[in-house]
Amino acid sequence: MTAVFMAACIQVNAQSLATDYKGSANNNPISANIFCADPTALEYNGRVYVYGSNDHQQFIANGKKGENNYGSIKSIVVFSSDDMVNWTFHGTIDVAKLCSSWVTSPWYQGFGVSWAPSVTWRTTEEGVDEFFLYFCNSSHGVGVLKANSPIGPWKSPNNKLMIHYDTPGANPANTNANFDPGVVIDDNGVGWISFGGLGPSVIMPNAARIAKLKPSMTELDGAAVKIYAPYHFEANELNVIGGKFVYTYCSNWASRNDAEWNAYKSEHGINVPKPNTCTMCYMVSDNPMDPDSWVYKGVYGPHPGMGTNNNHSHLQKFQGEYYHFYHGAPLMESWRSAGVIEQNCGIFRSICVNKATVNEATQNIPAVTTNLQGVEPVKSLNPYELQQAETMASCGGVEYEDYTNIKKNTRISKLGNDASENMQVNMRAGSWINVRNVDFGTTGASKFMLRAKGTGTVDLRFGRAGRPIATLEFSSTDMEDHTIELNATKFHGVKNNFNISFSAAEDVYVDAWQFAELVPDGIEEIEAGKIANSTSANCYDLSGRKLSGSHQNRGIVIEQFVDENGVKHNRLKY
């Protein structure tokens, strides 16, 4: 293993780096290299987890060309973030493998594909966290998976679809498709699921359904009932907001007749405009099993455009704010414009997110603005914590197939997941990874560590086209930690764009990276003997900010105290 700091870094022509198809000013889509769609989400332990249809599986099955007919989508992608701009890819849930033992007769109860997931979770009375992931099996029905963490391992609790053509209230002659589930657990701990779509192209297709779930969350508790959703088409989701149920769906392509809409408004005592085609509509109820209780409230999600001809969204509250997750096709459009894929290749979608405004008391949701700029980060990325290589705001030259599972128990990720701890990223010459809003603090970074194998030259940059600030050369046949010393004056403060780029790479796989913070001058090493003599103590972080309360999980802090002789001391404390 070798690790060298280049004091005079050689400028690498920015044109030799892989193209930036996402854009350094854009936070949408959430992934710059993985096609995914039909988002759903949950908040857990300070992170938001996003799940979606694996359009990239179809893209690869097609040989990276042709149309997306969804038939090869048999897995679900998983991402998570704690700041809303840097997203960790947790790999895919192999639904086909998990459901391989399902019954094959009757045919419509067996497994075929996994589209449009919906997810929820709860803590049982015994204190066990349980996660439930529902997906549609094309138009045939809805299946369910279960886990004890948001990233698995998952299992199939049933041996067939949970909702299918024989499910009471889900008669395909009326609903046309028992698909696109939307799930929620209400304030009383009761689970509910909505589904249905592809009804006749009229103002009232009668294709939407809702049903109560048994305490197991894996079976229906009675028959499904209708939701009379005007211009309903697909993309069902459920929320509970302010004690009431909020049902969202995508509108259809039926012609909008003013007389019909005016009659509907008069009948239901509402005064809202009729929805445009392919928009996300919402309805509210305080008694979900009463079809007449649902009140149409309007459109909250516009047609996203961005190269897609369909719409699917999820409304998620995260750290007190609401977000609108949806899909478009900006990455596909960018690739087509650059000639990376053929012009007839499509439509392969990408998950995006924009801020939403929700009045929880009235359940009023003004229309969301969708754009490529996306959302602002809710916190800074801490470079002094171990960061997985698959955590990115953007990237170039890193493809889906380059995420490879390796042998078990190599390193345990701080995220505690079963996928990411065994995942590494294959980097080629010109490949780069970008993270955003990185806070190096006031003292700066003194070291950089890259956990990798192979032979490579790594440039650390601020921005893709920026001049290299430091360069690491390494070579090892095993996954090892390669470290270089840094000039801390060049790595301090908040950096909007930090890039790890490879000017040379041969069989390089990267697992993780981490900086070490410069220790301030005049700080003593820990001396256990002085602790008993201290009469008063205050703790500060390495930027000099005074800490209050527990600091057990803060890593290194500075403890300042006065000993029994009145002498003031500073020392590092872990």
Side-chain angles (χ1 to χ4, degrees):
M1 175 180 69
T2 63
V4 180
F5 170 59
M6 305 291 190
C9 299
I10 299 173
Q11 173 70 48
V12 176
N13 188 338
Q15 297 301 316
S16 66
L17 295 179
T19 304
D20 181 2
Y21 292 108
K22 177 172 176 176
S24 60
N26 295 332
N27 288 323
N28 277 330
I30 68 172
S31 175
N33 63 333
I34 299 173
F35 293 126
C36 46
D38 307 321
T40 187
L42 60 81
E43 180 178 3
Y44 181 71
N45 284 355
R47 299 186 71 84
V48 60
Y49 289 81
V50 177
Y51 308 75
S53 302
N54 190 358
D55 274 23
H56 216 100
Q57 187 172 23
Q58 185 72 57
F59 180 65
I60 299 302
N62 283 8
K64 303 182 181 180
K65 59 185 179 181
E67 294 186 8
N68 184 1
N69 63 14
Y70 315 120
S72 295
I73 299 176
K74 302 176 185 292
S75 61
I76 292 169
V77 298
V78 188
F79 293 86
S80 78
S81 177
D82 64 355
D83 61 20
M84 296 297 294
V85 296
N86 297 299
W87 294 89
T88 300
F89 176 54
H90 295 282
T92 60
I93 302 170
D94 190 346
V95 185
K97 180 179 179 180
L98 295 172
C99 302
S100 60
S101 62
W102 279 15
V103 298
T104 57
S105 180
W107 63 269
Y108 51 80
Q109 295 184 16
F111 174 78
V113 292
S114 54
W115 303 342
S118 184
V119 68
T120 191
W121 74 282
R122 68 183 179 189
T123 301
T124 66
E125 293 181 355
E126 293 75 26
V128 177
D129 292 340
E130 293 182 328
F131 297 80
F132 300 92
L133 184 66
Y134 303 81
F135 63 92
C136 72
N137 191 39
S138 69
S139 63
H140 304 155
V142 175
V144 59
L145 303 176
K146 183 179 179 180
N148 291 121
S149 99
I151 42 73
W154 297 88
K155 63 180 180 180
S156 173
N158 299 334
N159 67 349
K160 59 184 178 181
L161 288 175
M162 186 183 76
I163 298 172
H164 47 74
Y165 291 161
D166 298 331
T167 299
N171 187 334
N174 295 323
T175 63
N176 292 275
N178 295 322
F179 78 155
D180 281 14
V183 66
V184 73
I185 296 175
D186 68 20
D187 297 336
N188 297 313
V190 178
W192 304 85
I193 190 166
S194 57
F195 62 95
L198 305 186
S201 191
V202 295
I203 186 173
M204 192 54 63
N206 289 327
R209 296 289 187 274
I210 188 168
K212 184 179 178 182
L213 292 168
K214 290 184 177 180
S216 67
M217 297 289 291
T218 61
E219 296 179 87
L220 298 194
D221 188 1
V225 300
K226 293 180 182 180
I227 298 176
Y228 294 117
Y231 299 113
H232 175 268
F233 185 62
E234 61 181 1
N236 314 282
E237 272 283 20
L238 283 173
N239 285 83
V240 172
I241 300 175
K244 293 191 176 184
F245 291 81
V246 177
Y247 167 65
T248 61
Y249 64 94
C250 178
S251 63
N252 64 17
W253 279 259
S255 60
R256 288 356 187 207
N257 182 284
D258 287 343
E260 282 186 332
W261 185 248
N262 289 335
Y264 177 86
K265 290 196 300 180
S266 177
E267 179 184 357
H268 293 87
I270 61 173
N271 186 25
V272 292
K274 57 183 179 290
N276 290 330
T277 59
C278 200
T279 54
M280 297 306 303
C281 306
Y282 72 110
M283 303 183 76
V284 174
S285 170
D286 56 8
N287 185 12
M289 295 300 283
D290 177 4
D292 295 325
S293 70
W294 289 96
V295 177
Y296 179 80
K297 301 275 283 187
V299 171
Y300 94 94
H303 187 299
M306 300 183 182
T308 185
N309 60 356
N310 54 33
N311 207 347
H312 197 119
S313 74
H314 175 72
L315 188 67
Q316 179 63 43
K317 189 175 184 181
F318 176 59
Q319 296 189 9
E321 302 288 342
Y322 281 92
Y323 296 90
H324 172 62
F325 286 93
Y326 61 99
H327 67 231
L331 183 62
M332 180 201 71
E333 291 281 272
S334 182
W335 286 10
R336 285 203 301 208
S337 297
V340 176
I341 55 177
E342 298 174 0
Q343 293 301 306
N344 65 352
C345 183
I347 293 172
F348 295 97
R349 302 157 296 178
S350 297
I351 293 176
C352 302
V353 59
N354 284 93
K355 200 79 172 288
T357 301
V358 178
N359 185 319
E360 294 185 333
T362 63
Q363 295 79 43
N364 183 55
I365 313 173
V368 175
T369 298
T370 58
N371 54 44
L372 291 178
Q373 287 72 34
V375 300
E376 294 296 318
V378 300
K379 61 178 291 190
S380 297
L381 183 143
N382 185 353
Y384 305 118
E385 293 180 350
L386 186 70
Q387 300 292 337
Q388 295 295 316
E390 55 274 16
T391 297
M392 309 174 189
S394 188
C395 65
V398 180
E399 297 185 14
Y400 177 86
E401 305 98 305
D402 295 334
Y403 292 94
T404 307
N405 286 317
I406 57 176
K407 63 184 181 180
K408 295 289 184 182
N409 301 319
T410 52
R411 296 277 184 170
I412 302 301
S413 161
K414 294 180 72 172
L415 296 175
N417 64 69
D418 294 324
S420 193
E421 72 185 52
N422 295 315
M423 196 173 287
Q424 49 187 320
V425 182
N426 181 209
M427 303 296 285
R428 302 183 179 93
S431 298
W432 51 272
I433 293 172
N434 166 264
V435 291
R436 297 179 181 170
N437 199 45
V438 183
D439 188 356
F440 287 96
T442 57
T443 59
S446 61
K447 294 180 181 180
F448 172 75
M449 181 278 293
L450 185 76
R451 184 169 296 155
K453 67 178 179 179
T455 301
T457 301
V458 183
D459 296 321
L460 307 184
R461 307 168 183 259
F462 298 132
R464 171 184 168 275
R467 184 180 182 86
I469 308 301
T471 297
L472 163 69
E473 294 180 346
F474 67 92
S475 182
S476 63
T477 56
D478 296 322
M479 190 67 70
E480 297 180 10
D481 292 354
H482 309 275
T483 304
I484 55 171
E485 302 286 337
L486 301 174
N487 181 346
T489 63
K490 297 183 181 296
F491 291 88
H492 66 91
V494 177
K495 304 299 183 183
N496 185 48
N497 280 284
F498 169 65
N499 276 42
I500 300 173
S501 58
F502 280 75
S503 55
E506 182 178 349
D507 296 326
V508 168
Y509 289 85
V510 180
D511 178 52
W513 58 270
Q514 186 175 17
F515 283 86
E517 191 166 13
L518 179 68
V519 177
D521 292 337
I523 302 300
E524 301 175 9
E525 293 297 330
I526 294 176
E527 297 182 36
K530 287 187 177 181
I531 295 177
N533 297 327
S534 62
T535 58
S536 62
N538 292 310
C539 287
Y540 303 82
D541 66 16
L542 294 179
S543 298
R545 294 184 291 264
K546 187 175 181 179
L547 303 175
S548 60
S550 174
H551 52 266
Q552 292 180 348
N553 298 317
R554 293 181 182 268
I556 300 175
V557 299
I558 302 169
E559 186 177 63
Q560 185 180 89
F561 68 94
V562 179
D563 66 20
E564 57 188 8
N565 298 317
V567 178
K568 182 182 291 186
H569 297 272
N570 293 319
R571 66 184 172 200
L572 296 181
K573 184 176 181 180
Y574 295 87

